[in-house]
Amino acid sequence: MSAKTLTRMDLSEAVFREVGLSRNESAELVESVLHHMSEALVRGETVKISSFGTFNVRDKSARIGRNPKTGEEVPIHPRRVLTFRPSHLMKDRVAAGNKR
Amino acid sequence: MIRSELIQKIAEENPHLYQRDVERIVNTIFEEIIEAMAEGNRVELRGFGAFSVKSRDARIGRNPRTGEAVQVEAKCVPFFKTGKLLRDRLNGGTS
């Protein structure tokens, strides 16, 4: 089985099939969902989608990094990173679907 | 923000849609992402991030309470990588 890559287009196609809106409006709704999630995260909010997973914004403090190629030390500035914690349901379904 | 708040926001922006249809739309999106990963596929949402599946080797785990060694089987786990645009925006980048 070779892995496919799905995009926004596939998600809006699924919405189109499920609800019967126009393709255009389906695409706008997918965009809208991603937009609202992004906005909440940028505000520093946690986005918790039950039975899907939780997106969390975390603060990382500054540290001294190293360029692995040259060995040169470079300062890494404090930054905010996004982590995703999948729900148990997602973990179970992904594990069950990809059993070899 | 939780699922119901997200649905609420989308419903407010789309007064011509029934609330139950907005629920179906939002649920379909998340369901489709899980289904894709369950089939071993990736979902790449430019600007937001990408969901993919990573495999984990079998290992000897340990029951943290009893200290007992247990065999943990190889398995596949979901993985999310933040998109460049969102990563930049989290750090005060533009738009």
Side-chain angles (χ1 to χ4, degrees), chain A residues 38 41-44 57-61 76-82, chain B residues 82-95:
Chain A
S38 303
L41 293 166
V42 169
R43 287 195 300 267
V57 180
R58 291 176 51 205
D59 281 304
K60 300 275 243 183
S61 46
I76 297 179
H77 301 292
R79 65 201 201 282
R80 290 206 296 173
V81 296
L82 176 58
Chain B
T82 312
K84 192 176 181 311
L85 181 71
L86 182 53
R87 205 187 326 131
D88 290 347
R89 286 194 59 201
L90 287 171
N91 292 287
T94 45
S95 70

Side-chain angles (χ1 to χ4, degrees), chain B:
Chain B
M1 170 184 273
I2 60 174
R3 186 193 285 255
S4 58
E5 291 165 345
L6 178 60
I7 289 168
Q8 195 53 44
K9 278 228 156 90
I10 309 281
E12 281 164 17
E13 282 178 353
N14 296 275
H16 61 294
L17 297 178
Y18 289 115
Q19 168 99 11
R20 63 160 193 275
D21 282 340
V22 176
E23 277 168 28
R24 278 171 68 203
I25 290 159
V26 170
N27 294 346
T28 297
I29 293 171
F30 292 120
E31 174 58 29
E32 197 67 14
I33 295 173
I34 298 182
E35 192 53 40
M37 283 191 285
E39 289 170 12
N41 296 325
R42 267 169 66 81
V43 182
E44 197 175 303
L45 304 168
R46 285 282 162 91
F48 183 79
F51 295 90
S52 60
V53 179
K54 287 200 168 183
S55 47
R56 296 269 177 267
D57 288 338
R59 62 188 170 86
I60 306 293
R62 209 168 272 283
N63 181 326
R65 208 181 323 233
T66 64
E68 187 189 359
V70 280
Q71 178 67 34
V72 181
E73 280 176 47
K75 65 175 173 206
C76 286
V77 296
F79 180 76
F80 175 76
K81 184 171 190 281
T82 312
K84 192 176 181 311
L85 181 71
L86 182 53
R87 205 187 326 131
D88 290 347
R89 286 194 59 201
L90 287 171
N91 292 287
T94 45
S95 70

